[in-house]
Amino acid sequence: MASTSPLPLSGTLHELHSTRNHILFGTTMGMDSDAGTSGSQIALDQYKRRKISSQKNVSSLCEVHSEFEASLPTLRSPGYYMEPCLRELANRELMDSGFCSRVQDFTVGRFGYGCVKFLGNTDVRWLDLDQIIRFGRHEVVVYGDESAKPEVGQGLNKSAEVTLVLKVRSSIEKGELYDIVEKLRLITKRQEADFISFNPSNGEWKFLVHHFSRFGLSEDDEEDIVMDDVTAVQHPLETNTGDVSGIDEATLVEPNGAVLSHSLPAHLGLDPIKMKEMRMVMFPVDEEEDHDFSGEFKQREQSIGKESIRPPLHHSAWRMSHKSSSSVARKTPLALLEYNPGSVESNSPGTILMAQQNKGVPLKTAKVEGFKLDLKRKTPITESLSHNIVDAALFMGRSFRVGWGPNGILVHSGTSVGSNDSQSVLSSVINLEKVAIDKVVRDENNKVRKELVESCFISPLELHKEIKHETKEVEIGSFKLKLQNPVSNRLMLSEVCRSYIGIIERQLEVPEVSSSARVVLMHQVMVWELIKVLFSAREISGQSKSAGADNEEDMMHDRSEGSSEVDLEALPLIRRAEFSYWLQESVCHRVQDEVSSLNESSDLEQVLLLLTGRQLDAAVELAASRGDVRLACLLSQAGGSTVNRADVSQQLELWRTNGLDFNFIEEDRIRIFELLAGNIHGALHGKTIDWKRFLGLLMWYQLPPDTSLPFVFHTYQQLLADERAPHPVPVYIDEGPVEEAMSWRVGERYDLAYYLMLLHANEGSEFGLGKTMFSAFSSTHDPLDYHMIWHQRAVLEAVGAFSSNDLHVLDMGLVSQLLCLGQCHWAIYVVLHMPFRDDFPYLQATLIREILCQYCESWHSQELQRQFMEDLGIPSAWLHEAMAVYFNYSGDFSTALEHYIACANWQKAHSLFMTSVSHSLFLSGPIELGGRPDGFNEGLSNR
């Protein structure tokens, strides 16, 4: 490693001074002292002439020396270095004029932070490197002042190889290392650079840049990468493996001997020099209060021709102080805030108070009360606690960003959700809002109902658990994880769907369920019925149990009773009849509502509405009761033979050809005739109708009665593409509040039932609408509700109707809902059912360990949840590790020690025992280690 610059050019300047002295005195050393008077006079004259000439040469050399000194690059910042070093640059420039204009692979770095190697030849003359290059925590900035940045390719704004030292944990698992490398690749690509390598042993991240601005990790990126809890910057003397003889130690140490790299700003990832400069500008420095940093900051102006020397005694004192200071272990930072969650039944998201620490953290009495949040401010969509003034210093001097807490709590310093106020806010104004993840289990009074929790989450998951599963073991280090996948056949699908329908019906019986929730629940019932109709199978030798209300269903029912076997050719017709019955049930309530809103005189309009729901019996009875027997006869044959349709169509065409005045015929009667003729667009001209009834009219009256369902669905899809059919809008928009319908845009999202029809029509080929199909918006207006659509996806995958491994958003949505309700064991159950991916082999393990650690407070005291997790095959060491972290944070060090021992984490067990447990055991009485596991003593002996 090259030595720190700037360095005293002792050798170079010595050569310059020697040259000057040689010119001044070298000619006199060879004089003959025994010469005569005349010779002496001649010599004296020659000496005078030479003296005058030498004075001119010395003046010229001084100018050259000053110009040469000014042309060299300057680098005075502590901890920085460059390669070649300043001494080598000066020597090479003297030997080879113009060398500094073409330095090969010039490198500038900072010990403990990284370096930049500028590729190719670089002109380093007259460069003030202190102003151009700055290294920070996990970042480098070259030409921070955009106005001073040269064009690309000029100066230091050129291609370079950047090496940044990342403070990662020393022990990284293989899966974590892969994740870090992939994240660094993405970060590098996002910054328009080329990733080279990452070395986990020393944390060096190398990448190639083509020009400069700022490169490195943002605070969000640091959270995504496994960073070390304590960032300690190593001393340059300890990290230097090369020549250290020329390092100017005065540039690394303050006058009082304290090392800047081990100061508090350095531990917080800040530049200690900049922090000291800011402190000097913003706050007057008093000698009595000057204890925050390692000493008063002083700008050291070193002469290029003077050596910096430290007395040996002072050097020894510095070494001893550095050694003693580095041996003190930093304690884990303690939170300055604590969150007191509200109860599940309560609407209150809780309060944030200053932590009442009794662990040695000094708190002023004026701040002990902390602050409480106003619980009265709410927004319509989320619980919001806005504009609460707090002390910005509570956030440890760091920028306050969005933070997620338990149960969907979101704390941020921006404007409130749903607010139109664009006025900027201060960093000391925070907003606390509760995202309505648990909205599905709240009644119309916004109270959580245990019955809804049971019927929405617990019962469906228990039913899912009863389905046959196949397992796949995945090795996670020394542990094994059993991933699960439900497997079923289509013969059992009808029974599974009926079980889910029964759970939803019990949910409908819960009192005080909102009307919008009832619409969604009824739709879920019909979705399960549709899954049963479209994807179930029946035994060839068995009897069909389908029931019908029209001639298709009656014919199918009679055939099933008369024969014990079902013809394979009849299966498509049977499925069509069942779908027809499902479609009638889906639109029945809408037809009845519209019919009841009409007066008795509009009997023809009532008949037309009944035909849109295929309620033929009611339509025939109504026409006959009005004395219109001919119309009743025509209605009895609706949707039957195509010959009858052709006859009606021919009659209408004949009337038009003969110039019949249709003004003498009721408009609704003409519409009925058009519908019976199979012209559904002529029958609906000027009228609007929902998409399900339009699909029914297409299947019942326009297409032949033996048309297969896939052809029906494709025909509707084509009409939809041609904008000749109503859009299959979701049910909460089609039948929900008006404001929901106003916010919907064409093609934005469709109903889940429509996607199921397309899935059936495209069965056997690639289906590319999986993500859109299984989004929350396809079945509910709540974008965070995945509790039922997750089961529908799982059942379809279990019977082989659908397969996908990129729906992790769906899985994580349900996991978030379960965690919000305290159902950690069921959340882990869902994680185990996430599809395995070769590019993310440790995804499930990472999620499970995060859930165990973050929600340990809610599950560690519930024996049922712990036993459930163990039955799922979760390694007990992971459970003990999470409880050890929780009890250590809570201050119960003895219990934490037991769990560290149980999970065989001997290093942390030893540290905790020596720092927090041993002294209390020593004072309380004799120490008995006989009850400890054998590995504990072995682990201690290996320390």
Side-chain angles (χ1 to χ4, degrees):
M1 184 72 72
S3 57
T4 306
S5 298
L7 298 176
L9 299 179
S10 56
T12 305
L13 294 181
H14 177 71
E15 295 175 2
L16 295 175
H17 288 298
S18 298
T19 304
R20 182 177 63 178
N21 294 336
H22 178 71
I23 294 173
L24 290 174
F25 307 110
T27 57
T28 65
M29 296 177 66
M31 285 184 179
D32 187 5
S33 58
D34 297 330
T37 304
S38 60
S40 299
Q41 185 65 34
I42 295 173
L44 181 60
D45 295 338
Q46 292 178 351
Y47 170 72
K48 289 181 179 180
R49 290 194 298 269
R50 290 171 180 171
K51 183 177 180 182
I52 295 173
S53 176
S54 64
Q55 288 177 351
K56 294 179 179 179
N57 292 335
V58 170
S59 176
S60 177
L61 283 174
C62 290
E63 294 178 0
V64 172
H65 169 263
S66 299
E67 183 179 356
F68 170 73
E69 177 184 344
S71 66
L72 295 175
T74 59
L75 181 61
R76 306 177 184 274
S77 299
Y80 283 76
Y81 65 90
M82 60 181 173
E83 296 177 353
C85 63
L86 196 56
R87 177 178 299 167
E88 183 179 351
L89 287 175
N91 291 333
R92 297 291 295 274
E93 182 67 24
L94 286 174
M95 292 184 294
D96 182 8
S97 178
F99 174 80
C100 290
S101 65
R102 56 180 187 278
V103 180
Q104 182 71 22
D105 293 342
F106 181 65
T107 303
V108 179
R110 183 181 181 187
F111 293 105
Y113 289 84
C115 64
V116 179
K117 181 170 70 175
F118 298 93
L119 305 179
N121 293 332
T122 304
D123 188 355
V124 300
R125 296 174 298 177
W126 298 289
L127 290 181
D128 186 359
L129 299 177
D130 298 299
Q131 299 297 326
I132 297 176
I133 302 179
R134 299 299 298 174
F135 283 90
R137 174 183 168 87
H138 304 154
E139 69 171 1
V140 61
V141 180
V142 180
Y143 293 111
D145 185 3
E146 292 290 336
S147 61
K149 181 188 295 187
E151 297 181 358
V152 177
Q154 303 295 325
L156 299 184
N157 190 18
K158 54 180 297 187
S159 299
E161 180 184 297
V162 180
T163 301
L164 295 179
V165 179
L166 305 184
K167 306 303 178 183
V168 297
R169 289 207 307 260
S170 57
S171 58
I172 303 178
E173 297 180 358
K174 183 178 179 181
E176 292 177 337
L177 175 60
Y178 180 83
D179 292 341
I180 291 176
V181 172
E182 289 302 314
K183 290 174 182 177
L184 290 178
R185 287 184 187 274
L186 293 176
I187 294 170
T188 306
K189 183 178 181 181
R190 186 171 66 240
Q191 297 180 1
E192 298 182 353
D194 299 327
F195 178 84
I196 298 178
S197 65
F198 172 70
N199 188 352
S201 61
N202 54 15
E204 288 188 353
W205 168 32
K206 293 185 179 181
F207 53 91
L208 181 68
V209 300
H210 305 286
H211 60 84
F212 268 101
S213 57
R214 178 202 175 276
F215 291 93
L217 301 180
S218 64
E219 292 185 359
D220 293 332
D221 296 333
E222 291 183 1
E223 291 182 355
D224 293 337
I225 297 178
V226 186
M227 292 295 173
D228 196 358
D229 294 335
V230 180
T231 303
V233 181
Q234 288 183 307
H235 191 269
L237 292 178
E238 299 175 358
T239 60
N240 191 7
T241 59
D243 181 18
V244 298
S245 60
I247 294 181
D248 183 11
E249 294 180 353
T251 62
L252 305 178
V253 184
E254 287 287 52
N256 61 358
V259 183
L260 284 177
S261 61
H262 286 273
S263 61
L264 177 61
H267 280 300
L268 294 178
L270 305 174
D271 190 344
I273 302 300
K274 283 188 176 181
M275 293 299 295
K276 184 160 292 187
E277 290 176 351
M278 292 175 61
R279 178 174 179 270
M280 293 293 294
V281 172
M282 300 177 63
F283 304 101
V285 179
D286 296 331
E287 294 183 358
E288 297 179 355
E289 298 178 355
D290 190 14
H291 58 273
D292 292 338
F293 292 92
S294 57
E296 181 179 358
F297 176 75
K298 181 173 68 176
Q299 180 69 29
R300 293 181 295 276
E301 298 180 355
Q302 299 179 349
S303 173
I304 196 169
K306 183 182 292 185
E307 286 276 347
S308 177
I309 303 175
R310 176 182 291 106
L313 182 61
H314 182 78
H315 176 72
S316 301
W318 172 80
R319 300 289 283 184
M320 292 298 294
S321 64
H322 171 65
K323 182 177 180 180
S324 61
S325 63
S326 62
S327 62
V328 178
R330 286 191 65 209
K331 293 185 177 181
T332 303
L334 299 175
L336 296 183
L337 302 177
E338 67 179 7
Y339 174 74
N340 299 325
S343 60
V344 178
E345 294 79 5
S346 170
N347 295 336
S348 171
T351 58
I352 295 181
L353 301 175
M354 285 192 63
Q356 306 297 321
Q357 303 286 357
N358 55 0
K359 305 174 183 178
V361 179
L363 295 176
K364 296 182 179 180
T365 56
K367 298 292 184 180
V368 170
E369 296 180 359
F371 61 92
K372 293 185 177 180
L373 299 174
D374 184 9
L375 300 178
K376 297 180 181 180
R377 303 191 180 189
K378 296 183 179 180
T379 61
I381 56 175
T382 59
E383 299 176 7
S384 175
L385 312 173
S386 305
H387 299 291
N388 296 276
I389 309 300
V390 299
D391 187 359
L394 290 175
F395 307 115
M396 303 179 68
R398 300 194 61 127
S399 60
F400 186 75
R401 298 172 296 140
V402 173
W404 285 98
N407 300 327
I409 299 298
L410 175 64
V411 184
H412 61 93
S413 57
T415 57
S416 303
V417 174
S419 173
N420 296 324
D421 186 11
S422 60
Q423 183 179 1
S424 61
V425 295
L426 300 176
S427 61
S428 57
V429 178
I430 67 168
N431 297 311
L432 186 147
E433 301 180 80
K434 182 172 183 180
V435 180
I437 300 178
D438 58 350
K439 187 176 180 180
V440 68
V441 296
R442 295 181 179 271
D443 57 16
E444 57 186 3
N445 298 322
N446 204 26
K447 292 183 178 180
V448 175
R449 301 295 296 265
K450 293 183 178 180
E451 306 96 308
L452 294 177
V453 175
E454 178 70 24
S455 59
C456 289
F457 295 97
I458 308 301
S459 297
L461 287 171
E462 289 178 347
L463 176 59
H464 183 273
K465 193 172 183 294
E466 293 176 359
I467 301 176
K468 181 181 177 181
H469 283 71
E470 63 179 12
T471 60
K472 176 181 180 180
E473 285 192 352
V474 178
E475 293 187 358
I476 312 294
S478 59
F479 304 103
K480 291 184 179 180
L481 203 61
K482 295 181 179 179
L483 303 184
Q484 302 185 23
N485 183 35
V487 178
S488 181
N489 56 57
R490 302 200 177 194
L491 296 175
M492 301 294 298
L493 181 59
S494 297
E495 182 179 350
V496 172
C497 293
R498 280 194 293 267
S499 299
Y500 277 109
I501 292 173
I503 293 174
I504 299 175
E505 290 176 347
R506 290 196 299 270
Q507 188 175 347
L508 284 168
E509 296 174 358
V510 177
E512 299 181 356
V513 175
S514 62
S515 57
S516 60
R518 291 185 179 276
V519 172
V520 174
L521 290 175
M522 291 301 302
H523 179 257
Q524 292 293 347
V525 171
M526 299 309 299
V527 167
W528 282 112
E529 290 282 359
L530 182 60
I531 292 175
K532 181 182 68 173
V533 168
L534 295 180
F535 302 101
S536 64
R538 51 186 50 81
E539 296 181 0
I540 302 301
S541 59
Q543 293 184 355
S544 174
K545 299 182 180 180
S546 302
D550 60 344
N551 55 349
E552 279 186 337
E553 288 79 3
D554 293 339
M555 177 184 65
M556 180 269 300
H557 187 66
D558 294 339
R559 173 176 293 186
S560 64
E561 290 183 350
S563 175
S564 59
E565 295 184 359
V566 178
D567 189 0
L568 288 175
E569 296 179 357
L571 288 179
L573 297 178
I574 296 175
R575 195 180 303 277
R576 173 191 165 95
E578 292 180 346
F579 177 77
S580 176
Y581 180 72
W582 175 88
L583 208 54
Q584 295 177 47
E585 291 294 322
S586 298
V587 302
C588 178
H589 65 285
R590 302 197 67 170
V591 172
Q592 294 298 329
D593 291 341
E594 294 183 14
V595 169
S596 60
S597 63
L598 299 176
N599 53 44
E600 296 183 357
S601 60
S602 55
D603 52 342
L604 291 177
E605 188 175 359
Q606 293 182 25
V607 170
L608 182 61
L609 288 175
L610 292 174
L611 289 178
T612 60
R614 195 165 175 76
Q615 299 184 19
L616 298 181
D617 294 343
V620 171
E621 291 180 1
L622 180 61
S625 63
R626 296 294 190 270
D628 200 339
V629 179
R630 295 179 179 177
L631 180 61
C633 293
L634 290 176
L635 294 177
S636 64
Q637 304 176 48
S641 173
T642 55
V643 176
N644 295 335
R645 303 181 194 178
D647 292 341
V648 176
S649 177
Q650 185 178 0
Q651 183 63 52
L652 290 174
E653 185 63 25
L654 185 60
W655 285 349
R656 292 188 181 94
T657 303
N658 294 334
L660 178 66
D661 190 358
F662 285 92
N663 292 327
F664 293 97
I665 306 177
E666 301 95 326
E667 181 181 359
D668 290 327
R669 186 179 296 274
I670 297 297
R671 292 181 183 275
I672 294 174
F673 290 159
E674 293 284 1
L675 184 60
L676 295 178
N679 183 13
I680 59 176
H681 288 91
L684 298 177
H685 181 70
K687 284 184 171 291
T688 58
I689 194 173
D690 61 275
W691 73 275
K692 289 182 182 178
R693 282 191 285 178
F694 182 89
L695 178 62
L697 296 180
L698 179 66
M699 183 179 70
W700 295 324
Y701 303 109
Q702 179 169 319
L703 297 177
D706 58 347
T707 305
S708 64
L709 288 181
F711 186 82
V712 174
F713 300 150
H714 283 308
T715 303
Y716 172 75
Q717 187 180 19
Q718 184 61 42
L719 292 174
L720 184 64
D722 297 339
E723 297 184 355
R724 300 180 60 198
H727 291 273
V729 296
V731 65
Y732 57 88
I733 296 177
D734 194 18
E735 304 180 23
V738 178
E739 56 269 17
E740 290 287 347
M742 294 297 292
S743 62
W744 182 83
R745 295 189 298 270
V746 175
E748 182 181 23
R749 52 187 181 269
Y750 289 144
D751 192 84
L752 177 60
Y754 172 68
Y755 291 119
L756 289 173
M757 297 174 192
L758 293 183
L759 179 62
H760 173 75
N762 294 275
E763 195 167 4
S765 58
E766 185 177 356
F767 184 69
L769 298 175
K771 289 186 177 180
T772 309
M773 173 181 178
F774 291 109
S775 67
F777 281 124
S778 65
S779 59
T780 175
H781 59 278
D782 185 359
L784 302 176
D785 181 19
Y786 293 90
H787 80 280
M788 191 55 67
I789 200 171
W790 183 85
H791 290 275
Q792 291 160 355
R793 189 277 302 266
V795 170
L796 289 174
E797 288 185 339
V799 299
F802 176 80
S803 178
S804 176
N805 63 348
D806 57 352
L807 294 178
H808 295 312
V809 174
L810 178 59
D811 300 308
M812 293 308 300
L814 181 58
V815 168
S816 299
Q817 288 183 280
L818 292 169
L819 292 176
C820 182
L821 297 172
Q823 305 294 326
C824 301
H825 56 309
W826 284 116
I828 293 177
Y829 175 82
V830 174
V831 171
L832 290 176
H833 285 78
M834 295 176 65
F836 178 81
R837 294 184 56 170
D838 294 330
D839 50 349
F840 296 102
Y842 303 106
L843 175 63
Q844 291 83 357
T846 303
L847 289 175
I848 290 173
R849 298 184 76 168
E850 288 183 357
I851 291 173
L852 292 176
C853 289
Q854 295 181 14
Y855 294 87
C856 182
E857 183 179 4
S858 62
W859 64 261
H860 82 276
S861 59
Q862 300 186 27
E863 186 62 29
L864 291 178
Q865 290 200 21
R866 292 179 56 182
Q867 186 61 42
F868 188 90
M869 296 176 188
E870 293 178 358
D871 294 340
L872 291 176
I874 306 301
S876 59
W878 294 2
L879 303 177
H880 288 291
E881 180 186 24
M883 288 187 285
V885 173
Y886 169 73
F887 285 112
N888 187 23
Y889 177 80
S890 302
D892 190 352
F893 301 116
S894 299
T895 307
L897 176 61
E898 294 179 0
H899 288 293
Y900 275 131
I901 296 172
C903 67
N905 194 334
W906 309 119
Q907 182 179 3
K908 290 190 176 181
H910 176 266
S911 300
L912 184 63
F913 178 78
M914 298 302 295
T915 58
S916 304
V917 180
S918 60
H919 62 277
S920 60
L921 293 179
F922 178 79
L923 296 175
S924 61
I927 303 176
E928 297 181 359
L929 293 178
R932 303 297 185 188
D934 295 336
F936 179 62
N937 296 326
E938 180 183 352
L940 294 180
S941 62
N942 292 332
R943 294 283 298 172

